[in-house]
Amino acid sequence: MFKSLFGKKKGRGSKPGDAPKDDSIRSAGVGDVVVILGFSPTLDDATFLIESKSRLESDFGNAYELTAVDGDRKVSIEWSNGDDLSILVTEHGEKIQLSEIGVDEDKLVRMDNKKSTDNFVEHQGQQFFYRNSYEVSYFKDSGPAMEGFYMWDFGSEDDQQAISVVKWEGIPFEVYASKALSPDVVSVYKK
């Protein structure tokens, strides 16, 4: 759900729902197992069972989101459907409030209008710079029913971590912290 996922305009021939073209994370589906090297709290490998797979679309292209669990630990694993495989992992857990990253709704609107990469938010002592803001169409379980939300993306200077602010209609703002992963540390085992 970040600029690295949606950072480029769609290329010719890219259509909503294009099928994955390889057997990496792009081929993962419900019931499969994802192993992420060194991603457990003890730096051991983490093993997640995929519970759902949803599709996201924006003016910048398509991405997919897996919701997966390992016991009580729940994550979202997102990847782009572009030429370069970008993977982001978001751990579900404690909610982050807008005030914790130093913004409110008015400041987000100003950032959206200005679209300056000089703007930033702070989380746990680190700065995350404005990357983009845009509308996203969300297709739960990759089905035909669509819901929309608006998103603001912020990335660390090295683009290895991200903060996303999401606003669904009628729901308070949601803030997520994510980590970028190399495709080399992610394996999929089919059910």
Side-chain angles (χ1 to χ4, degrees):
M1 290 177 30
F2 307 97
K3 186 176 182 215
S4 61
L5 294 176
F6 288 123
K8 298 177 188 171
K9 291 276 186 185
K10 291 185 202 177
R12 286 185 294 177
S14 175
K15 295 178 229 132
D18 277 353
K21 295 175 178 51
D22 63 10
D23 60 356
S24 65
I25 188 77
R26 295 176 186 184
S27 68
V30 175
D32 294 343
V33 172
V34 175
V35 176
I36 303 173
L37 301 179
F39 196 71
S40 76
T42 60
L43 300 180
D44 290 329
D45 299 347
T47 303
F48 297 98
L49 176 65
I50 299 171
E51 294 186 321
S52 69
K53 179 179 181 179
S54 300
R55 188 176 82 245
L56 302 110
E57 296 179 4
S58 79
D59 287 342
F60 298 101
N62 298 332
Y64 291 85
E65 174 188 63
L66 302 173
T67 302
V69 295
D70 179 8
D72 292 336
R73 190 177 184 204
K74 189 172 190 174
V75 297
S76 292
I77 305 168
E78 300 167 21
W79 76 94
S80 63
N81 200 23
D83 295 333
D84 297 325
L85 181 58
S86 299
I87 302 173
L88 294 167
V89 176
T90 305
E91 293 209 46
H92 297 232
E94 289 186 37
K95 296 194 183 250
I96 302 170
Q97 303 298 318
L98 281 180
S99 59
E100 292 177 62
I101 62 169
V103 296
D104 58 19
E105 184 173 358
D106 291 337
K107 189 169 183 178
L108 287 171
V109 169
R110 287 193 302 275
M111 287 181 182
D112 187 43
N113 290 332
K114 192 173 181 184
K115 298 206 183 292
S116 171
T117 56
D118 291 335
N119 288 314
F120 63 90
V121 297
E122 289 190 53
H123 180 61
Q124 296 181 341
Q126 184 173 2
Q127 291 182 335
F128 293 83
F129 294 90
Y130 175 89
R131 299 294 191 232
N132 212 343
S133 48
Y134 48 90
E135 291 183 43
V136 177
S137 298
Y138 180 77
F139 298 85
K140 184 170 177 55
D141 298 322
S142 298
M146 187 274 292
E147 296 181 72
F149 61 88
Y150 202 81
M151 180 180 329
W152 291 261
D153 282 332
F154 301 88
S156 59
E157 196 165 341
D158 63 5
D159 282 328
Q160 295 303 301
Q161 297 180 62
I163 296 288
S164 289
V165 178
V166 174
K167 180 63 174 104
W168 298 83
E169 188 174 335
I171 298 176
F173 285 90
E174 299 172 350
V175 181
Y176 300 99
S178 300
K179 294 179 183 177
L181 296 180
S182 166
D184 298 335
V185 302
V186 180
S187 300
V188 175
Y189 295 90
K190 306 302 278 180
K191 61 181 171 180

